[in-house]
Amino acid sequence: MSDALRERLLGLRIYLLVGAVTLASACLLVLPSWQPPAPFPSRFWNAVAAFALLSIVSDSFFFMIPLAKVNTSVAFIPFLASVAILDHPWPMLVSGVTALLVDTFVRHKPAIRVWFNTAQYMLAVGLGGLVYTGLGGRVSIDEFSFSLIPFVALVLTFFVVNHGSVALAVSFTTPSVSIREAWSRISGSALVTDLCSSPLAILLVFLYLKLEFLGLAIIVFPLFLARQLYQANLQLQEELEEKLELMVKAMEARDPYTSGHSRRVAEYSVAIGRELGLSARVLDGIKRAALLHDVGKIYEEFAPLLRKDGQLSPEELVVMRTHVVRSAQLVATAAKLRGSVEGIIRHHHESFDGSGYPDGLAGKQIPIGARIIMIADTLDAMTSDRPYRHALTLTTAIAELHTHAGRQFDPDIVRLVPKSATLRALLATEGLPRPQSASLPPTRQRVRSWVGRASV
């Protein structure tokens, strides 16, 4: 099968997913349990209007997860509450109308996304309602009733269907992201917040049945607090990434030849980690370690060594090798980076045969993230212009990795490098010239062994 045909077939997966979700929600919609609505106007229609309005408002105040432009909101709370008040299929219709209006007029999403979100909202609410009533959950617009097991089943069913369908869509439209990683990033720590916020649906049911529209007004404040909790979690992550970026820029200001190096190493490391099927949490740790793997070079003792044109002396080489320990010590001052990220940075120059530094670890003793960064770091060193030589071709770089596999590099990871389409795209297509500097210093025109240089 040609690559072009494979790409076209992979591109069709999202349309098959949209079709499957639409068909499933349509089947639920026409279940023979339709109840004729009460005459208009009535308490029933007031409830439909109230929950539709609250759902639309809740979904309009959304925020974005940094993954394939996925949006999230607290609209699931009125969705869950509507299942206990409105008979099937009205909760499905409320959620469908919410997605249709908000995605079209507020988020301005493409038609395929509007269609998909409308269908998956309806499917999640419909299946949740089916499980809820199947386990004995009571639906009433006149009397409050609560049963723990049906409610828990409703919540779990809703989130499994909602998060699972969105994770599939993200994976199908972002080939480098596996379903497992997409699920982890969409759910992740937010799943705990979702489950903790879900009891607000019970409170919403109680307040509406007792106070009707006044009850909705009272529930707005708890919904706002829940939304702010989600927003605060995302902001903490964003602030951490901004601080990492600031540290990287400060480090690279010391060495103009490595400008952009840490970002490229981070990209290559994540691509390799994805080929290994690592979890999102592990990938995030590796990315942070890759961004900061040389941050210790910001110390003054390394400045003259980074600016030196000639080859480092044995004494200078000993000093330069201490940058891994200095980097790890600096990173350890941040509580969120201690432990795993700190260890990856400390050991990213350990060789697979035990001849590396600073601790002479070998084989699987070396953290997986450190083994990955060792290869990504070397790949970038070989395929980028350096003061002492021009960039090597991708083919030559891969051949060098294989030559030193088992000695300097983990052979299992090396075998994955040429198989990764994402990594090849990042490193530039074979045959395309890499950017070249106008000229190199005469004293550094000779090509040094990249193996020795990478260990510095």
Side-chain angles (χ1 to χ4, degrees), residues 11 211 246 347 373 391 421 448:
L211 304 173
L246 181 62
H347 299 297
I373 291 176
R448 279 187 208 165

Side-chain angles (χ1 to χ4, degrees), residues 81-204:
S82 68
V83 171
I85 289 181
L86 301 172
D87 288 316
H88 176 82
W90 296 102
M92 289 183 65
L93 296 177
V94 166
S95 63
V97 168
T98 297
L100 180 63
L101 293 179
V102 173
D103 279 358
T104 302
F105 299 107
V106 179
R107 296 172 183 160
H108 305 290
K109 287 185 175 290
I112 186 67
R113 288 200 174 202
V114 175
W115 187 350
F116 172 75
N117 283 332
T118 301
Q120 65 94 358
Y121 267 11
M122 293 178 68
L123 180 61
V125 172
L127 279 177
L130 191 65
V131 172
Y132 175 78
T133 55
L135 292 175
R138 185 178 176 186
V139 179
S140 175
I141 200 171
D142 299 311
E143 184 180 352
F144 176 75
S145 175
F146 172 71
S147 300
L148 179 61
I149 294 178
F151 177 76
V152 170
L154 164 64
V155 171
L156 293 178
T157 302
F158 176 86
F159 284 124
V160 167
V161 175
N162 174 246
H163 291 186
S165 59
V166 174
L168 283 170
V170 169
S171 179
F172 289 171
T173 54
T174 314
S176 62
V177 178
S178 67
I179 297 173
R180 177 190 177 189
E181 182 184 350
W183 170 274
S184 180
R185 294 196 183 282
I186 291 168
S187 299
S189 59
L191 184 59
V192 176
T193 310
D194 289 340
L195 296 176
C196 292
S197 302
S198 296
L200 286 176
I202 303 169
L203 178 61
L204 175 55

Side-chain angles (χ1 to χ4, degrees), residues 124 245 401:
E245 184 73 14
L401 289 180

Side-chain angles (χ1 to χ4, degrees), residues 29 31-38 44-45 86-90 139:
L29 197 61
L31 282 175
S33 58
W34 272 80
Q35 298 293 329
F44 168 81
W45 287 110
L86 301 172
D87 288 316
H88 176 82
W90 296 102
V139 179

Side-chain angles (χ1 to χ4, degrees), residues 201-250:
I202 303 169
L203 178 61
L204 175 55
V205 173
F206 176 80
L207 289 174
Y208 182 78
L209 291 179
K210 298 298 181 182
L211 304 173
E212 294 195 3
F213 283 94
L214 178 59
L216 295 186
I218 294 173
I219 201 66
V220 166
F221 181 66
L223 287 178
F224 174 78
L225 290 180
R227 182 192 179 278
Q228 291 304 105
L229 180 60
Y230 283 92
Q231 190 73 37
N233 287 335
L234 287 177
Q235 286 178 345
L236 287 175
Q237 293 297 323
E238 290 173 359
E239 288 174 3
L240 176 60
E241 299 304 324
E242 289 173 357
K243 290 176 182 177
L244 295 182
E245 184 73 14
L246 181 62
M247 293 177 72
V248 169
K249 287 181 178 179

